[in-house]
Amino acid sequence: MSSSPPDLSSSMPSRQPLAERLVEWLRHFWPAPLGIDGRERLRFVVGAMMGMLLTAWLSRWWAQGSGSGPWMVASLGASAVLVFGMPSSPLAQPWPVLGGSTLSALVGAVCSTLIPDKVLAGAIAVGLAIALMVPLRCLHPPGGAMALYVVLTSGDGWHLATFPVLFNVVLLLIAAVVYNGLTGRRYPHPQRVVSRVAASQGAFTASDVDAALAHYNQVLDVSRADLEGLLHLAGRAAFQRTLGELRCADIMSSPPHAVEMGVSLKEAWALMRLQQIKALPVVDTQRQVIGIVTVADFMRLANLDTHEGLGQRLRTLVMGRGGQPQAVGEIMSHPVQVARATQHAMDLVPLFSQGGHHHIPIVDDVDHLVGIITQTDLVRTLATAVQGR
């Protein structure tokens, strides 16, 4: 008997309709908001206006009596957008603005001199300008316009590279340095990566950022240092969202097992074995923590110099023979580190990782014992958060 092939149509993923894909593609043409508030927008607009006003006024004044040549280049408006609106951008720093603009103008002058056809000269000028700006670390988008401007402008290209190009750029940069500084923006903005301590608390390292950038392999309009800083801020926000709001009361073991200081070692040891725990807070009659007794305390006071086995030595200790201590209060550790139930759980990380603690009693606002947190409790909480449960 032959069997018909199984129907796989229901298990195959349905293809998105062409109209929906077209709409989704068209949405890419509408950019996301810039993410700046009204105050920053006003700072941006006023700075660009003042920078252009100062540059234009001084350039026109300088050009008086020097003929009818141009005294300002239009691409300077694009540079103003960068230096006033994005003063932290690698493309807006003084060297890219100055070097990229002037170098591109000189490239345009060379191409205009050697290549008679302006169409060919303009294309080659823009390409060569980019090819030089990238290795010289002065990539500046208006630089391509500068190269084309010199090619298309009738006149002495070498003179244009000096005035108005270089003159305009220097004035704009002076205005940008002063205005950005007065309005709380660092300019020039540091571009080098600040050396960081090796990652802690599960954070990424600088080499992780380098690997991601190498994989991305595209020009970013943000400095390497700022990108790493933004990633750290995002990581801190995610950490705060997932773990930062957890309180000790959320992860503590409650109700806790505890003993008073007069309890015999035999009873304390039996309780620890029965409950399979490694520590017992020691409390007074008001349930306030006055100490803690752990398995390590029993081990430390067992007579390790005898030839008996470990079990026999512990038995000797808890039975109170051989002049050994008999009550919990005689071997407990005190004072003891405690934490509040309302305290952030992440505050305990340094206590466990650096303070040598393995068990931390948790108390309420009136110092009454309400729970206990162990290293295992904290690790379990971290693992759960990492797994996204």
Side-chain angles (χ1 to χ4, degrees), residues 107-108 110-128 147-148 151-152:
V107 169
V110 172
C111 292
S112 179
T113 302
L114 300 179
I115 305 174
D117 186 357
K118 290 186 179 295
V119 173
L120 182 60
I124 293 178
V126 172
L128 286 179
L148 187 60
V151 170
L152 298 179

mmCIF file of all heavy atoms in Angstrom, residues 107-108 110-128 147-148 151-152:
data_model
loop_
_atom_site.group_PDB
_atom_site.id
_atom_site.type_symbol
_atom_site.label_atom_id
_atom_site.label_comp_id
_atom_site.label_asym_id
_atom_site.label_seq_id
_atom_site.Cartn_x
_atom_site.Cartn_y
_atom_site.Cartn_z
ATOM 1 N N VAL A 107 42.821 69.102 -3.426
ATOM 2 C CA VAL A 107 42.624 68.010 -4.387
ATOM 3 C C VAL A 107 41.798 68.509 -5.572
ATOM 4 O O VAL A 107 42.087 68.180 -6.735
ATOM 5 C CB VAL A 107 41.930 66.820 -3.698
ATOM 6 C CG1 VAL A 107 41.479 65.784 -4.720
ATOM 7 C CG2 VAL A 107 42.871 66.173 -2.698
ATOM 8 N N GLY A 108 40.735 69.291 -5.275
ATOM 9 C CA GLY A 108 39.941 69.858 -6.359
ATOM 10 C C GLY A 108 40.763 70.761 -7.252
ATOM 11 O O GLY A 108 40.585 70.760 -8.486
ATOM 12 N N VAL A 110 44.007 70.517 -7.889
ATOM 13 C CA VAL A 110 44.881 69.669 -8.708
ATOM 14 C C VAL A 110 44.101 69.046 -9.856
ATOM 15 O O VAL A 110 44.537 69.063 -11.024
ATOM 16 C CB VAL A 110 45.533 68.576 -7.833
ATOM 17 C CG1 VAL A 110 46.283 67.576 -8.703
ATOM 18 C CG2 VAL A 110 46.466 69.193 -6.815
ATOM 19 N N CYS A 111 42.937 68.489 -9.540
ATOM 20 C CA CYS A 111 42.134 67.841 -10.577
ATOM 21 C C CYS A 111 41.653 68.852 -11.618
ATOM 22 O O CYS A 111 41.592 68.547 -12.823
ATOM 23 C CB CYS A 111 40.937 67.133 -9.947
ATOM 24 S SG CYS A 111 41.377 65.705 -8.931
ATOM 25 N N SER A 112 41.293 70.056 -11.174
ATOM 26 C CA SER A 112 40.856 71.091 -12.115
ATOM 27 C C SER A 112 41.985 71.499 -13.063
ATOM 28 O O SER A 112 41.744 71.813 -14.231
ATOM 29 C CB SER A 112 40.355 72.303 -11.335
ATOM 30 O OG SER A 112 39.943 73.334 -12.205
ATOM 31 N N THR A 113 43.221 71.483 -12.568
ATOM 32 C CA THR A 113 44.371 71.871 -13.393
ATOM 33 C C THR A 113 44.736 70.782 -14.391
ATOM 34 O O THR A 113 45.056 71.073 -15.556
ATOM 35 C CB THR A 113 45.577 72.175 -12.495
ATOM 36 O OG1 THR A 113 45.238 73.204 -11.570
ATOM 37 C CG2 THR A 113 46.774 72.596 -13.322
ATOM 38 N N LEU A 114 44.668 69.541 -13.979
ATOM 39 C CA LEU A 114 45.151 68.438 -14.809
ATOM 40 C C LEU A 114 44.089 67.825 -15.709
ATOM 41 O O LEU A 114 44.430 67.183 -16.713
ATOM 42 C CB LEU A 114 45.739 67.332 -13.910
ATOM 43 C CG LEU A 114 46.918 67.744 -13.026
ATOM 44 C CD1 LEU A 114 47.380 66.563 -12.181
ATOM 45 C CD2 LEU A 114 48.064 68.282 -13.880
ATOM 46 N N ILE A 115 42.816 67.982 -15.372
ATOM 47 C CA ILE A 115 41.748 67.320 -16.130
ATOM 48 C C ILE A 115 40.828 68.400 -16.695
ATOM 49 O O ILE A 115 40.089 69.054 -15.946
ATOM 50 C CB ILE A 115 40.958 66.349 -15.233
ATOM 51 C CG1 ILE A 115 41.901 65.338 -14.573
ATOM 52 C CG2 ILE A 115 39.885 65.614 -16.047
ATOM 53 C CD1 ILE A 115 41.233 64.432 -13.559
ATOM 54 N N PRO A 116 40.831 68.582 -18.026
ATOM 55 C CA PRO A 116 40.016 69.670 -18.626
ATOM 56 C C PRO A 116 38.512 69.444 -18.460
ATOM 57 O O PRO A 116 37.760 70.396 -18.263
ATOM 58 C CB PRO A 116 40.416 69.642 -20.100
ATOM 59 C CG PRO A 116 41.733 68.922 -20.132
ATOM 60 C CD PRO A 116 41.685 67.939 -19.015
ATOM 61 N N ASP A 117 38.069 68.197 -18.578
ATOM 62 C CA ASP A 117 36.639 67.910 -18.484
ATOM 63 C C ASP A 117 36.169 68.034 -17.036
ATOM 64 O O ASP A 117 36.586 67.272 -16.166
ATOM 65 C CB ASP A 117 36.388 66.488 -19.003
ATOM 66 C CG ASP A 117 34.901 66.158 -19.076
ATOM 67 O OD1 ASP A 117 34.080 67.012 -18.682
ATOM 68 O OD2 ASP A 117 34.556 65.036 -19.504
ATOM 69 N N LYS A 118 35.275 68.997 -16.793
ATOM 70 C CA LYS A 118 34.827 69.226 -15.416
ATOM 71 C C LYS A 118 34.029 68.050 -14.853
ATOM 72 O O LYS A 118 34.047 67.812 -13.634
ATOM 73 C CB LYS A 118 34.004 70.517 -15.339
ATOM 74 C CG LYS A 118 34.815 71.790 -15.538
ATOM 75 C CD LYS A 118 33.958 73.006 -15.296
ATOM 76 C CE LYS A 118 34.770 74.295 -15.469
ATOM 77 N NZ LYS A 118 35.807 74.411 -14.453
ATOM 78 N N VAL A 119 33.322 67.340 -15.697
ATOM 79 C CA VAL A 119 32.560 66.184 -15.219
ATOM 80 C C VAL A 119 33.504 65.132 -14.655
ATOM 81 O O VAL A 119 33.336 64.630 -13.537
ATOM 82 C CB VAL A 119 31.703 65.587 -16.356
ATOM 83 C CG1 VAL A 119 31.041 64.285 -15.885
ATOM 84 C CG2 VAL A 119 30.647 66.588 -16.806
ATOM 85 N N LEU A 120 34.516 64.797 -15.441
ATOM 86 C CA LEU A 120 35.483 63.796 -15.001
ATOM 87 C C LEU A 120 36.316 64.324 -13.840
ATOM 88 O O LEU A 120 36.597 63.602 -12.867
ATOM 89 C CB LEU A 120 36.385 63.396 -16.165
ATOM 90 C CG LEU A 120 37.424 62.307 -15.892
ATOM 91 C CD1 LEU A 120 36.730 61.019 -15.453
ATOM 92 C CD2 LEU A 120 38.290 62.065 -17.125
ATOM 93 N N ALA A 121 36.697 65.600 -13.919
ATOM 94 C CA ALA A 121 37.528 66.185 -12.861
ATOM 95 C C ALA A 121 36.782 66.215 -11.530
ATOM 96 O O ALA A 121 37.359 65.924 -10.468
ATOM 97 C CB ALA A 121 37.955 67.598 -13.260
ATOM 98 N N GLY A 122 35.487 66.543 -11.562
ATOM 99 C CA GLY A 122 34.714 66.589 -10.332
ATOM 100 C C GLY A 122 34.571 65.222 -9.678
ATOM 101 O O GLY A 122 34.727 65.089 -8.454
ATOM 102 N N ALA A 123 34.290 64.200 -10.489
ATOM 103 C CA ALA A 123 34.140 62.853 -9.933
ATOM 104 C C ALA A 123 35.442 62.352 -9.321
ATOM 105 O O ALA A 123 35.463 61.796 -8.215
ATOM 106 C CB ALA A 123 33.665 61.891 -11.024
ATOM 107 N N ILE A 124 36.556 62.558 -10.052
ATOM 108 C CA ILE A 124 37.849 62.104 -9.539
ATOM 109 C C ILE A 124 38.244 62.896 -8.294
ATOM 110 O O ILE A 124 38.811 62.341 -7.341
ATOM 111 C CB ILE A 124 38.922 62.231 -10.632
ATOM 112 C CG1 ILE A 124 38.619 61.239 -11.773
ATOM 113 C CG2 ILE A 124 40.315 61.977 -10.073
ATOM 114 C CD1 ILE A 124 39.591 61.319 -12.931
ATOM 115 N N ALA A 125 37.937 64.186 -8.269
ATOM 116 C CA ALA A 125 38.285 65.018 -7.115
ATOM 117 C C ALA A 125 37.578 64.522 -5.858
ATOM 118 O O ALA A 125 38.186 64.420 -4.772
ATOM 119 C CB ALA A 125 37.935 66.474 -7.393
ATOM 120 N N VAL A 126 36.290 64.221 -5.976
ATOM 121 C CA VAL A 126 35.544 63.737 -4.807
ATOM 122 C C VAL A 126 36.099 62.393 -4.342
ATOM 123 O O VAL A 126 36.309 62.157 -3.140
ATOM 124 C CB VAL A 126 34.044 63.613 -5.138
ATOM 125 C CG1 VAL A 126 33.300 62.936 -3.989
ATOM 126 C CG2 VAL A 126 33.448 64.994 -5.407
ATOM 127 N N GLY A 127 36.368 61.480 -5.295
ATOM 128 C CA GLY A 127 36.902 60.176 -4.932
ATOM 129 C C GLY A 127 38.272 60.264 -4.275
ATOM 130 O O GLY A 127 38.533 59.605 -3.262
ATOM 131 N N LEU A 128 39.167 61.084 -4.846
ATOM 132 C CA LEU A 128 40.498 61.237 -4.267
ATOM 133 C C LEU A 128 40.443 61.905 -2.896
ATOM 134 O O LEU A 128 41.226 61.564 -1.993
ATOM 135 C CB LEU A 128 41.387 62.052 -5.218
ATOM 136 C CG LEU A 128 41.886 61.327 -6.471
ATOM 137 C CD1 LEU A 128 42.718 62.278 -7.319
ATOM 138 C CD2 LEU A 128 42.706 60.099 -6.094
ATOM 139 N N ALA A 147 35.829 69.785 -2.634
ATOM 140 C CA ALA A 147 36.574 69.357 -3.819
ATOM 141 C C ALA A 147 35.785 69.665 -5.085
ATOM 142 O O ALA A 147 36.333 70.170 -6.091
ATOM 143 C CB ALA A 147 36.877 67.865 -3.714
ATOM 144 N N LEU A 148 34.493 69.366 -5.064
ATOM 145 C CA LEU A 148 33.661 69.630 -6.237
ATOM 146 C C LEU A 148 33.496 71.122 -6.475
ATOM 147 O O LEU A 148 33.470 71.587 -7.635
ATOM 148 C CB LEU A 148 32.302 68.964 -6.039
ATOM 149 C CG LEU A 148 31.344 68.990 -7.221
ATOM 150 C CD1 LEU A 148 31.955 68.272 -8.429
ATOM 151 C CD2 LEU A 148 30.009 68.353 -6.843
ATOM 152 N N VAL A 151 36.475 72.530 -8.335
ATOM 153 C CA VAL A 151 36.489 72.106 -9.733
ATOM 154 C C VAL A 151 35.491 72.913 -10.557
ATOM 155 O O VAL A 151 35.787 73.344 -11.692
ATOM 156 C CB VAL A 151 36.183 70.600 -9.837
ATOM 157 C CG1 VAL A 151 35.947 70.187 -11.291
ATOM 158 C CG2 VAL A 151 37.308 69.783 -9.246
ATOM 159 N N LEU A 152 34.291 73.136 -10.034
ATOM 160 C CA LEU A 152 33.233 73.809 -10.786
ATOM 161 C C LEU A 152 33.368 75.324 -10.809
ATOM 162 O O LEU A 152 32.743 75.991 -11.647
ATOM 163 C CB LEU A 152 31.869 73.432 -10.193
ATOM 164 C CG LEU A 152 31.496 71.945 -10.250
ATOM 165 C CD1 LEU A 152 30.143 71.716 -9.608
ATOM 166 C CD2 LEU A 152 31.499 71.445 -11.692
#
